[in-house]
Amino acid sequence: MKKISILLGVVILIVVLANITHIVAHTKLYSFNQHKKITTETRVITFEDIFETLHQQRGLAEELRHSKVNSLIGEEVQKGLDDASDYEMFLRKHPQINTIKVELPIVTYKDDDRTIEFISGKGKVLEVLEDGQWKEFNGTWDDLWKDLIEKLNEN
């Protein structure tokens, strides 16, 4: 019986050691979820602005995903990037809309000696600069798409 207990203990130790990076990654994700600060920033964005911001966020997401201990945080950064990329595609495909004023959710997380900051979603559209005129728009990203589709169908 004593040999079985020792053998079982050794097997459990080996399994824990083999999964240590996975365990640490989940610990880091838990810490991230407990200590992240979500703020809302109002930004006026053009295609160039959002392209540059998202380019930096792509680099951050890639760096974190390739890290063994921060890979799960990198996935969170990527989710926010995927949502915010809609702005980039929208501004590229619709040149009549030059600029959009939006409220963006920004996540900030201090991890050891670095600060991780990224756009974590689509946010709310406040105004649209269309054909040189600011038009108030108080709705979601999906509302903006629906509004644009309706305008295109009218023409």
Side-chain angles (χ1 to χ4, degrees), residues 49-90:
D49 295 335
I50 197 69
F51 179 82
E52 180 61 33
T53 300
L54 295 180
H55 177 70
Q56 292 172 2
Q57 190 163 332
R58 279 183 195 94
L60 175 64
E62 185 176 330
E63 175 190 336
L64 293 172
R65 281 195 328 260
H66 291 335
S67 165
K68 290 181 181 181
V69 296
N70 290 317
S71 60
L72 297 175
I73 296 172
E75 289 177 14
E76 294 295 316
V77 174
Q78 184 65 45
K79 286 177 193 174
L81 175 64
D82 293 343
D83 282 344
S85 291
D86 286 346
Y87 288 121
E88 179 184 11
M89 291 185 303
F90 179 83

Side-chain angles (χ1 to χ4, degrees), residues 90-102:
F90 179 83
L91 290 169
R92 180 184 302 151
K93 289 182 180 182
H94 303 287
Q96 75 273 20
I97 298 176
N98 309 91
T99 308
I100 301 174
K101 185 175 187 179
V102 294

